[in-house]
Amino acid sequence: SILLTVRDGLYGWTSERVARKQAAIGRPTYVYLFDHGYPAMEAVGLHAFHASELPYVFGTFDGTPPRWPKVPDSDRGLSDAMIGYWTSFAAKGNPGGKGLPAWPAFKPDRQMVMKFESTGAGADTDFYARHQCKFWAEQGFSSLSGPYPTPTASGPVYQ
């Protein structure tokens, strides 16, 4: 669908490119995908969206700040795991933690992404394919620093 393609191009592919560049210069790189919708959002036709993980990361299940939706108590386990990962990362620079599934580092040749969803957290090995990263790279956007192509009827033209 067009929405999925736009999401993949704006978030999936660009996240993969930034992570790949950081990992290629030897920086420890950890990438995640929050793919969990919760009742307050799905009731209005939304699933996971940019920043929808914040109530989970901060444990604000009661709708605080006021514009954040209420999160069901049944999601506390997912929230606890996310709080553990974020706290560990802030303290040690590594999101690993006692009792948490391993969060492997992203490597240019092994693109592991931690996926948070209703069933919990786990490493996602299909991120590159699922977000159509190869397609976006083939459109001429293989570098974040440009040059960027100008679309034409016959294909991209570089200036």
Side-chain angles (χ1 to χ4, degrees), residues 26-115:
R27 291 192 174 135
T29 305
Y30 301 92
V31 180
Y32 75 94
L33 170 66
F34 185 77
D35 194 21
H36 176 61
Y38 42 98
M41 299 315 314
E42 289 184 344
V44 294
L46 296 173
H47 188 64
F49 54 90
H50 180 67
S52 63
E53 76 277 17
L54 293 179
Y56 292 81
V57 172
F58 294 109
T60 54
F61 278 63
D62 59 353
T64 308
R67 301 184 105 179
W68 286 9
K70 288 187 74 133
V71 176
D73 284 335
S74 59
D75 285 353
R76 287 214 185 264
L78 181 59
S79 177
D80 290 344
M82 294 180 77
I83 290 169
Y85 285 118
W86 267 248
T87 302
S88 176
F89 184 75
K92 303 183 302 185
N94 180 323
K98 195 176 201 177
L100 295 172
W103 185 331
F106 185 98
K107 306 275 187 211
D109 61 340
R110 199 174 124 246
Q111 301 158 347
M112 301 296 281
V113 173
M114 185 60 104
K115 185 174 183 181

Side-chain angles (χ1 to χ4, degrees), residues 11 103 136 144:
Y11 295 105
W103 185 331
W136 287 102
L144 292 176

